[in-house]
Amino acid sequence: MWEALVQLDRGRPGLADQLVDTLREAIADGRLPPGTRLPSTRALAKDLALSRGVVVEAYEQLAAEGRLLSRQGAGTVVAGLVRETVERRAADLPNRVPDQPHTLLRPGVPDFGMFPRAAWRRVYERTLMGMADAALDYGDPSGARRLRVELASYLGRVRGARVDPGGVVVTTGAAQGFAVLAAALRAGGATAIGFEEPGSYGVRGHLESHGLRLVPVPVDGDGIDVAALDRSGTPAVFVTPAHQFPTGVVLAPGRRAALVEWARRTGGLIVEDDYDAEFRYDRDPVGCLQGIAPDEVAYIGSVSKALAPALRLGWLAVPGKWRDAVAERKAWADLGGPVLEQLAFAELLASGGYDRHLRRARLEHRRRRDALVTALRRHLPGLRISGVAAGLHLVVELPEGVDDEAVAGRARAAGLGPLPLSRMRLSGGGPPGLVLGYAANAPGELETAVARLGTLVTSPREAV
Amino acid sequence: MWEALVQLDRGRPGLADQLVDTLREAIADGRLPPGTRLPSTRALAKDLALSRGVVVEAYEQLAAEGRLLSRQGAGTVVAGLVRETVERRAADLPNRVPDQPHTLLRPGVPDFGMFPRAAWRRVYERTLMGMADAALDYGDPSGARRLRVELASYLGRVRGARVDPGGVVVTTGAAQGFAVLAAALRAGGATAIGFEEPGSYGVRGHLESHGLRLVPVPVDGDGIDVAALDRSGTPAVFVTPAHQFPTGVVLAPGRRAALVEWARRTGGLIVEDDYDAEFRYDRDPVGCLQGIAPDEVAYIGSVSKALAPALRLGWLAVPGKWRDAVAERKAWADLGGPVLEQLAFAELLASGGYDRHLRRARLEHRRRRDALVTALRRHLPGLRISGVAAGLHLVVELPEGVDDEAVAGRARAAGLGPLPLSRMRLSGGGPPGLVLGYAANAPGELETAVARLGTLVTSPREAV
């Protein structure tokens, strides 16, 4: 029986591992059901013409895995496993949240197909095989030193930021940056924060769930209304100066100066979310606000729009007086993020691979942006389009009275992922519109998607 | 001049990349200082006998990196870089916290030299090159489905846990598990938690910093005193039943039953930190408490003691009634941890590689434990040693009146990392002792370290 069950390739090394694999498989698929008594190591060794040591090693491994039970005097039996085969099958399901939005026209995500797998593999391997053993220890909770150095340099030359490596905290994404900062603000006595209206629906929850009340501050064609912020009396404000989300406007020079003046006069903190600023198509990138006011601005960024959200890699740079509080909150949050991928990303930055990827992505995004605009002009003529000069999304205004939540709901049912503009307002109201992403879809897909969208906006089911 | 500066290997493809690398290096090392005006693309192409497109591409890449500035009509000049060369040099520093404890005799860390780099490389590569594009999206904040399935199976067969994949939350280490759970407890109205006395110094801060007051509950030879816990009136308790930290005692069967009875009667939550339970040397591992009371126990674990803390990979499984609160807190903490390494770890579990590593580590740890005990008997004879049957550390009691903080301080100055037992008590008092780790050091190192320690314990500088 055992010779039939156990097929070994005696030409290959690792006979014990082969025996383990074979027995594990037989246990998993039910050929060796729970309770089956295995031969003694001596008997099986004889049957299979193996040295007894090989069988002993295999049994020990399977016992360590909980698949075999060895009891003095009672021999070795197959353990009762908990629905493992069924569970393994579940493991083949794609790794996604069931209600995750469709990627067609979905704003805020890059094209996952453009992720530089080969380059990432190179830098990860180089890190893994080259790092000192000590790098496997608990590291600095604020992040691997080498990445903080590379980030400070990168943010300086590409975003005009003024940060030194000691002032950078590596996070597991911008979301953790918001969480850590909100917790530090709360610990410092703040209970509210000014928030762009309209502003990022996604960011809200992170700030609110950490105890901050959001105070809407209007955004117009020049960006956030600083006079209104001043009247609100909040001790902090959340802004997206380089490319406002969702409108796409750039904070005008006068407003930048006024905002910094507000912070200096009131001691308020400006929280700058530089979420997609690497992508600007009409001119040189707009430098970040942090670069002109490093003592007033907490700067937040990530690789989610440029590489992939799944990497969960971001950064946070705060003014000197906030450093200790933020480093402490980060340490208590998780004792620091995964070090190996931090070092791999440092390597990607140092080798120029990140810049190279961004340059390619930028060219491709511009092409897609153009395709989306062309498709909108064709299938939804006459609607105002804005925010096209940068980023990964644009805004199309819908005719007055249209329920943009309803349109987005119908789009979703049709496999499209645009977001309703009204959802981006704390007050809920305002002119209807759609936030459309274009980075994740090829020009042809965008054309098809917008054609479908066109029929939904003007659908007779619309209750206007 | 340019032919001399730019050395290209024309036999290799990627001339533009070569040109970029060469120019980047020349800018970094000062051969092309800030302000240097570069030739026009046409002129440089002619000089180097390249197509003009190659030079244009190289200039665009360097401009994207912020290293060159191109201005209409003003040509292309080298940008002013912010101390990049100096910062790069800082990047060569080892990645460690300046005041990190020495690893000789330091408890709570594995041998970083035993990390299975080749196996990890295989599973990471297989993940990276084989995963669907969709895996690069924002995933389920509670963790990649595939890992949750593998963990549920692993914890069932190796630790006797009863969890289903939907009840597992993947964390960035046990620390985040404490943080998330503490936040959920606070949100549920709890303000205090019972805490083993003595107990883990490292865990305390995570619970306290998220708003929980720690109430000391004595530990004796049978584990935590459940009657004392009951009198304390706290709505939750933190325990290490399989191998109490630091004493090493196993929670006795009667106490297990009493603790579960306490939870059922009062509705209290048992927080089980199963921090090093894979390592047991005297008998079969003690199953986790969660397996006998899944509705009363929140179970926390990680790979920090078995693989490496730097991976920041852990898990949390809570009773049904706590699931939503915990999943929500995890989502607001960071929108989920890094997906690629989660999937790589799932692959390591599925392939049996994790069990294989643990088996090897277990054999080696036992050898080291024996070496440490032998060395203690030789160099610190007569002192009571406890907690040797499992884990990565043991406790040696010091003579009454000895200041264990002072001994630990001297040890630290001598390059050793034991921790003082008194620091493990909220009340500070109690018999003096040292918590000694042995997993990270080879037998010979342990012998040398203990010989040195022996002279420090009996040092004449001791003020007894």
Side-chain angles (χ1 to χ4, degrees):
Chain A
M1 157 195 181
W2 295 97
E3 300 91 317
L5 190 77
V6 179
Q7 307 277 339
L8 302 175
D9 178 353
R10 284 157 204 276
R12 274 201 302 131
L15 282 172
D17 282 354
Q18 286 186 50
L19 182 56
V20 166
D21 289 345
T22 311
L23 291 174
R24 193 192 288 123
E25 211 169 292
I27 292 168
D29 65 18
R31 277 174 295 154
L32 291 178
T36 307
R37 188 167 172 149
L38 268 70
S40 70
T41 53
R42 189 183 308 269
L44 187 60
K46 189 153 172 263
D47 257 27
L48 301 175
L50 291 169
S51 85
R52 190 172 162 215
V54 166
V55 180
V56 168
E57 194 184 333
Y59 278 23
E60 282 180 1
Q61 166 69 18
L62 290 165
E65 297 178 18
R67 292 188 163 90
L68 294 182
L69 296 171
S70 295
R71 287 284 175 275
Q72 210 98 47
T76 299
V77 297
V78 176
L81 291 181
V82 195
R83 294 162 293 137
E84 190 175 22
T85 319
V86 177
E87 290 179 355
R88 274 290 163 72
R89 217 160 285 145
D92 298 326
L93 295 171
N95 166 46
R96 63 184 315 163
V97 192
D99 66 346
Q100 201 160 307
H102 303 280
T103 52
L104 270 172
L105 299 180
R106 175 177 154 211
V109 284
D111 186 340
F112 305 126
M114 283 170 68
F115 183 79
R117 294 196 194 207
W120 188 256
R121 175 187 185 163
R122 263 196 309 278
V123 293
Y124 191 87
E125 266 190 35
R126 208 176 295 161
T127 297
L128 179 61
M129 305 317 278
M131 68 188 171
D133 283 346
L136 289 161
D137 200 351
Y138 291 94
D140 186 330
S142 290
R145 170 84 190 160
R146 181 158 151 70
L147 177 54
R148 297 161 80 191
V149 168
E150 290 298 338
L151 277 174
S153 163
Y154 169 78
L155 294 172
R157 58 193 169 72
V158 174
R159 301 296 305 128
R162 282 194 285 160
V163 294
D164 62 277
V168 178
V169 172
V170 181
T171 62
T172 50
Q176 190 181 50
F178 303 138
V180 161
L181 200 53
L185 280 164
R186 284 288 289 132
T191 57
I193 185 168
F195 200 78
E196 293 171 332
E197 174 86 340
S200 169
Y201 176 72
V203 173
R204 273 192 224 161
H206 293 287
L207 299 174
E208 287 177 331
S209 69
H210 288 85
L212 292 176
R213 185 171 49 85
L214 302 192
V215 178
V217 182
V219 168
D220 60 27
D222 284 337
I224 197 164
D225 179 343
V226 180
L229 167 66
D230 202 8
R231 286 191 299 273
S232 79
T234 59
V237 64
F238 174 90
V239 286
T240 48
H243 183 236
Q244 205 271 333
F245 190 92
T247 65
V249 302
V250 175
L251 190 64
R255 290 280 176 87
R256 297 192 147 221
L259 188 57
V260 171
E261 188 276 328
W262 165 84
R264 288 186 182 145
R265 175 165 43 81
T266 65
L269 182 68
I270 302 167
V271 180
E272 175 175 30
D273 182 12
D274 206 30
Y275 66 105
D276 69 1
E278 290 90 351
F279 301 110
R280 180 116 215 137
Y281 313 118
D282 58 337
R283 54 173 177 179
D284 288 333
V286 178
C288 67
L289 192 61
Q290 194 275 351
I292 61 168
D295 291 335
E296 285 75 27
V297 176
Y299 178 87
I300 290 176
S302 83
V303 303
S304 295
K305 310 288 181 270
L307 281 174
L311 286 178
R312 310 308 302 129
L313 256 171
W315 44 88
L316 171 61
V318 295
K321 64 180 169 183
W322 285 98
R323 278 197 192 176
D324 289 349
V326 161
E328 193 185 330
R329 289 320 306 180
K330 166 65 180 167
W332 293 134
D334 61 7
L335 276 183
V339 175
L340 272 62
E341 288 184 330
Q342 287 184 11
L343 294 174
F345 182 49
E347 183 71 28
L348 192 71
L349 282 166
S351 67
Y354 192 57
D355 298 285
R356 207 170 291 128
H357 170 70
L358 285 175
R359 189 156 63 91
R360 285 179 196 143
R362 202 174 291 126
L363 292 173
E364 186 56 31
H365 289 162
R366 181 158 47 186
R367 215 164 67 88
R368 294 176 177 196
R369 191 259 330 241
D370 293 346
L372 178 57
V373 171
T374 304
L376 287 169
R377 297 254 174 268
R378 179 176 309 141
H379 300 289
L380 286 162
L383 296 187
R384 195 170 158 245
I385 302 168
S386 58
V388 298
L392 310 179
H393 74 272
L394 53 75
V395 174
V396 56
E397 290 179 18
L398 294 177
E400 212 176 319
V402 171
D403 180 347
D404 57 6
E405 277 281 2
V407 173
R410 288 200 296 272
R412 193 186 177 79
L416 308 177
L419 294 178
L421 188 57
S422 61
R423 199 184 293 170
M424 309 299 159
R425 292 197 188 83
L426 285 161
S427 59
L434 293 173
V435 186
L436 303 175
Y438 50 78
N441 312 120
E445 293 177 303
L446 291 167
E447 159 67 24
T448 314
V450 173
R452 213 181 310 163
L453 186 66
T455 67
L456 299 171
V457 169
T458 54
S459 159
R461 277 175 294 161
E462 177 69 55
V464 184
Chain B
M1 158 193 182
W2 296 97
E3 300 92 317
L5 190 76
V6 179
Q7 307 277 336
L8 301 176
D9 178 353
R10 284 157 205 273
R12 276 201 301 132
L15 282 173
D17 282 353
Q18 287 186 50
L19 182 56
V20 166
D21 289 346
T22 311
L23 290 175
R24 193 193 287 123
E25 211 169 293
I27 292 168
D29 67 16
R31 279 174 296 154
L32 290 180
T36 307
R37 188 168 173 147
L38 268 70
S40 70
T41 53
R42 188 185 307 269
L44 187 59
K46 187 151 175 266
D47 256 27
L48 301 175
L50 291 169
S51 83
R52 193 174 159 210
V54 167
V55 180
V56 168
E57 194 185 334
Y59 278 22
E60 281 178 3
Q61 166 69 17
L62 291 165
E65 296 177 19
R67 291 185 164 92
L68 293 182
L69 296 172
S70 294
R71 288 282 176 274
Q72 210 98 47
T76 300
V77 297
V78 176
L81 292 180
V82 195
R83 295 160 294 138
E84 190 175 23
T85 319
V86 176
E87 290 179 353
R88 275 292 163 71
R89 216 161 285 146
D92 297 327
L93 293 171
N95 164 45
R96 64 186 312 164
V97 193
D99 66 347
Q100 200 160 310
H102 303 280
T103 53
L104 270 170
L105 299 180
R106 174 178 153 210
V109 285
D111 186 340
F112 306 126
M114 283 169 69
F115 182 80
R117 295 195 193 207
W120 188 257
R121 175 188 184 164
R122 263 196 310 278
V123 293
Y124 191 88
E125 265 189 36
R126 209 176 298 161
T127 297
L128 178 61
M129 305 317 278
M131 68 190 171
D133 282 347
L136 289 161
D137 199 351
Y138 291 95
D140 186 330
S142 290
R145 170 85 190 161
R146 182 158 152 69
L147 177 54
R148 297 162 80 192
V149 168
E150 290 297 338
L151 277 174
S153 164
Y154 168 79
L155 294 173
R157 58 194 169 73
V158 174
R159 300 297 304 128
R162 283 194 285 161
V163 294
D164 62 278
V168 177
V169 172
V170 181
T171 62
T172 50
Q176 191 182 48
F178 304 138
V180 161
L181 200 52
L185 280 164
R186 283 288 288 131
T191 57
I193 185 168
F195 199 79
E196 294 172 332
E197 173 86 341
S200 170
Y201 176 73
V203 174
R204 271 192 225 163
H206 292 288
L207 298 174
E208 288 177 331
S209 68
H210 288 85
L212 293 176
R213 186 170 49 85
L214 302 191
V215 178
V217 182
V219 168
D220 59 28
D222 285 335
I224 197 165
D225 180 343
V226 179
L229 167 65
D230 202 7
R231 286 192 299 275
S232 79
T234 59
V237 63
F238 174 91
V239 286
T240 48
H243 184 237
Q244 204 270 334
F245 190 92
T247 65
V249 302
V250 175
L251 190 63
R255 290 279 176 85
R256 294 191 150 222
L259 188 57
V260 172
E261 188 276 328
W262 165 84
R264 288 187 181 143
R265 176 166 43 80
T266 66
L269 183 69
I270 302 168
V271 180
E272 175 176 29
D273 183 12
D274 206 31
Y275 66 104
D276 68 1
E278 291 90 352
F279 301 109
R280 180 117 214 139
Y281 314 117
D282 57 340
R283 54 172 177 178
D284 288 333
V286 179
C288 68
L289 192 61
Q290 194 274 350
I292 62 169
D295 291 334
E296 286 74 29
V297 176
Y299 179 87
I300 290 176
S302 82
V303 304
S304 295
K305 310 287 182 270
L307 280 175
L311 287 179
R312 310 310 300 127
L313 257 171
W315 43 89
L316 171 61
V318 296
K321 63 180 169 182
W322 286 98
R323 277 195 194 177
D324 289 349
V326 161
E328 194 186 328
R329 289 319 308 183
K330 167 64 181 167
W332 292 134
D334 60 8
L335 275 183
V339 175
L340 272 63
E341 289 184 329
Q342 288 184 9
L343 294 174
F345 182 49
E347 183 73 27
L348 193 70
L349 282 166
S351 67
Y354 192 57
D355 298 284
R356 208 169 290 128
H357 170 71
L358 285 175
R359 190 155 64 91
R360 285 181 196 142
R362 203 176 290 127
L363 292 172
E364 185 57 29
H365 288 163
R366 180 158 49 185
R367 215 163 66 88
R368 293 175 178 196
R369 191 261 326 244
D370 294 346
L372 177 56
V373 170
T374 305
L376 287 169
R377 297 255 175 268
R378 179 176 308 141
H379 299 290
L380 286 162
L383 296 187
R384 193 168 160 248
I385 301 168
S386 58
V388 299
L392 310 178
H393 74 273
L394 53 74
V395 173
V396 57
E397 290 179 18
L398 294 177
E400 214 177 314
V402 171
D403 179 348
D404 58 6
E405 277 282 1
V407 173
R410 288 201 295 272
R412 192 187 178 78
L416 309 177
L419 294 177
L421 188 57
S422 61
R423 199 184 293 170
M424 308 300 158
R425 293 197 187 82
L426 285 161
S427 58
L434 292 175
V435 186
L436 303 176
Y438 49 77
N441 312 122
E445 293 177 303
L446 291 168
E447 159 68 24
T448 315
V450 174
R452 213 182 308 164
L453 185 66
T455 66
L456 299 172
V457 170
T458 55
S459 160
R461 277 175 293 160
E462 179 67 54
V464 183

